[in-house]
Amino acid sequence: MSESKLAGQFLDAAIGLLGRVRDEEAGNIAAAGAAIADTVEAGGRLFAFGAGHSSLAAQDVVYRAGGLALMNLMAVPGALGVDVMPATLGSALERVDGLAGAVLDSSPAKSGDLLVIISLSGRNALPVEMALNARALGLKVIGVTSVAYAEETRSRHSSGGFLRDHCDIVLDSKIAIGDAELEVDGIEAPFAPASTVVTSALMQSMMAAAAERLLERGIEPPLLRSGNVDGGHEWNGRVMARYADRIFYRH
């Protein structure tokens, strides 16, 4: 079977975006890694949140092989999008004022913890309010978003602000508005989104930076191993026992 021209074009586009974030976001990635390392060293807890497909990158750093055991998912019921019927309800929930505050108030998050908020557009009420309320509670907030939306669209939050306006550190995914890398004559809609690829890479790169900072300080990063390799379950059991008070997805 011959190669797909469009598949190659998408991969080239994704590689180009990854190159841009590597070169242009290096300082912000390092700062995010240092902030995570600071939180781990100080005894704080780590959380990640994303709504809709942005939740995929948040889930990618929670309870996974090679990941920090302390990273917990800040779950908002129905906000994953595809876990409710109809799926469009998930999009509607992103625009509901007050939801983020209720979730944070009932979560274990407290002052001194760190929250990574992922939102491609950063314009909906849920991620903006999540950042505002988290900082008010004393959490450090890292935002992973596309700055292009803040420059070319309108906020849907009552403050008029975007996610990037309420974060301590911002990582720009460089994704263009519309999140589609390909346009072809004969196909009406643009297609082939790259935001998940790039955002997940940003998340893993900041985790790598955090591990590097911890190592420099003489601290063993609390990492999980694959349960599919010999000794993996035993290793993970020891890590989870040591940090039981900072891991919430196992209770």
Side-chain angles (χ1 to χ4, degrees):
M1 184 178 293
S2 61
E3 295 180 2
S4 167
K5 178 181 177 182
L6 292 181
Q9 288 179 357
F10 170 75
L11 291 171
D12 286 343
I15 291 168
L17 286 163
L18 290 171
R20 284 191 63 195
V21 298
R22 176 198 61 204
D23 298 338
E24 299 173 20
E25 296 299 306
N28 293 327
I29 292 170
I36 292 170
D38 290 344
T39 304
V40 172
E41 183 177 13
R45 290 82 65 81
L46 306 172
F47 298 89
F49 165 76
H53 284 91
S54 290
S55 71
L56 296 174
Q59 294 177 61
D60 194 42
V61 295
V62 176
Y63 184 55
R64 70 158 304 147
L68 286 173
L70 307 188
M71 185 60 75
N72 302 277
L73 186 68
M74 182 70 72
V76 177
L80 297 185
V82 294
D83 67 334
V84 293
M85 292 290 288
T88 49
L89 176 60
S91 298
L93 289 172
E94 289 188 61
R95 304 179 190 183
V96 174
D97 290 330
L99 182 57
V103 168
L104 278 169
D105 288 344
S106 61
S107 79
K110 62 182 182 180
S111 180
D113 293 343
L114 181 145
L115 172 62
V116 182
I117 301 176
I118 306 161
S119 174
L120 179 60
S121 72
R123 67 189 299 225
N124 288 313
L126 186 53
V128 175
E129 183 184 288
M130 187 73 76
L132 276 166
N133 287 25
R135 291 180 87 187
L137 288 173
L139 278 75
K140 180 161 292 246
V141 175
I142 298 172
V144 184
T145 187
S146 169
V147 170
Y149 281 85
E151 296 174 343
E152 300 179 42
T153 67
R154 291 184 178 181
S155 170
R156 289 180 175 141
H157 186 252
S158 57
S159 69
F162 286 75
L163 172 60
R164 73 164 189 179
D165 301 320
H166 304 290
C167 297
D168 299 287
I169 302 167
V170 176
L171 278 63
D172 182 7
S173 64
K174 316 295 180 182
I175 300 294
I177 292 175
D179 191 17
E181 296 303 316
L182 301 182
E183 294 186 39
V184 177
D185 289 341
I187 299 178
E188 290 294 326
F191 58 102
S195 61
T196 303
V197 174
V198 177
T199 304
S200 289
L202 278 168
M203 294 295 289
Q204 294 298 345
S205 66
M206 80 168 79
M207 296 302 127
E212 183 178 18
R213 296 287 86 79
L214 289 168
L215 180 62
E216 291 172 352
R217 301 173 191 181
I219 299 171
E220 176 71 24
L223 298 169
L224 296 173
R225 292 190 175 187
S226 172
N228 295 314
V229 299
D230 292 343
H233 285 298
E234 291 76 14
W235 171 278
N236 292 342
R238 290 192 296 270
V239 171
M240 288 188 174
R242 179 178 178 183
Y243 294 98
D245 61 331
R246 299 157 75 180
I247 299 173
F248 302 104
Y249 49 79
R250 61 175 304 201
H251 300 311

